Amino acid sequence: MSRGFGLLLALAALGACDRFDRDAPPSRAPGLWVQTVSSAGMTQQSRLCVDAAVEAAFGWWGQTTGACAKPSVTRGPDGGWRFNSRCDMGPAGVNATTGVATGDFSAAYRMQAETITTAAAAPQMNGARRMTLQAVRQGPCPAGMKPGDMTLPGGLTINVLEVAASK
């Protein structure tokens, strides 16, 4: 038996390989997700068609490319996923977000986050805001809805991948 193969078997026996998989940030299952966001006493529901490209660009914790530095995502001792990110939105300010998500990213999860905005050109944009997101997978994306399509209240549909690419 080669030395490398023996080391691999020893690590597997100790559960090290499982530990790395368990500690990798989860991805949402592909399909249609209904997202209900509550913040400042208001609630809004949207529908988002997710695939690997959407997950790579935005992830369940928010945008991962563009104006945002790579977020820190770690698993907490309670099994929840803690995250923080920093996004420089130019005149809209700098957003520092921290939060935690719990649940099953193949079926339903809940995320709570606080964003603190500083250095915004419009002073009313600065400050702390809390939000809760409940997301439930509904199954495959329906016919006519492509990955990245997000249907907002009032029936307006945008494609988040196309919007991100146009910036």
Side-chain angles (χ1 to χ4, degrees):
M1 172 181 340
S2 78
R3 187 173 188 196
F5 185 71
L7 178 60
L8 181 60
L9 283 177
L11 288 173
L14 293 172
C17 293
D18 289 341
R19 187 184 79 236
F20 292 120
D21 290 341
R22 267 194 333 254
D23 291 341
S27 295
R28 289 174 289 192
L32 180 65
W33 286 84
V34 173
Q35 305 176 128
T36 304
V37 176
S38 300
S39 180
M42 299 182 340
T43 299
Q44 177 176 308
Q45 192 172 78
S46 63
R47 298 169 9 129
L48 175 64
C49 182
V50 173
D51 73 349
V54 172
E55 200 64 1
F58 295 96
W60 51 262
W61 57 83
Q63 189 169 358
T64 59
T65 59
C68 301
K70 183 175 172 117
S72 168
V73 181
T74 57
R75 190 166 199 156
D78 61 356
W81 291 93
R82 285 160 178 51
F83 62 93
N84 63 62
S85 66
R86 184 178 182 283
C87 302
D88 186 342
M89 307 303 284
V94 176
N95 294 332
T97 303
T98 59
V100 64
T102 56
D104 177 352
F105 291 85
S106 65
Y109 68 94
R110 175 184 170 95
M111 180 175 64
Q112 294 179 291
E114 179 179 47
T115 299
I116 299 174
T117 302
T118 58
Q124 66 272 22
M125 293 176 69
N126 293 314
R129 290 163 186 79
R130 289 189 171 97
M131 75 92 171
T132 299
L133 176 137
Q134 294 277 138
V136 179
R137 186 175 181 277
Q138 301 293 301
C141 295
M145 193 172 199
K146 66 182 187 254
D149 280 354
M150 176 183 270
T151 304
L152 302 168
L156 174 68
T157 297
I158 62 168
N159 188 282
V160 296
L161 293 174
E162 292 170 5
V163 171
S166 70
K167 292 185 179 186

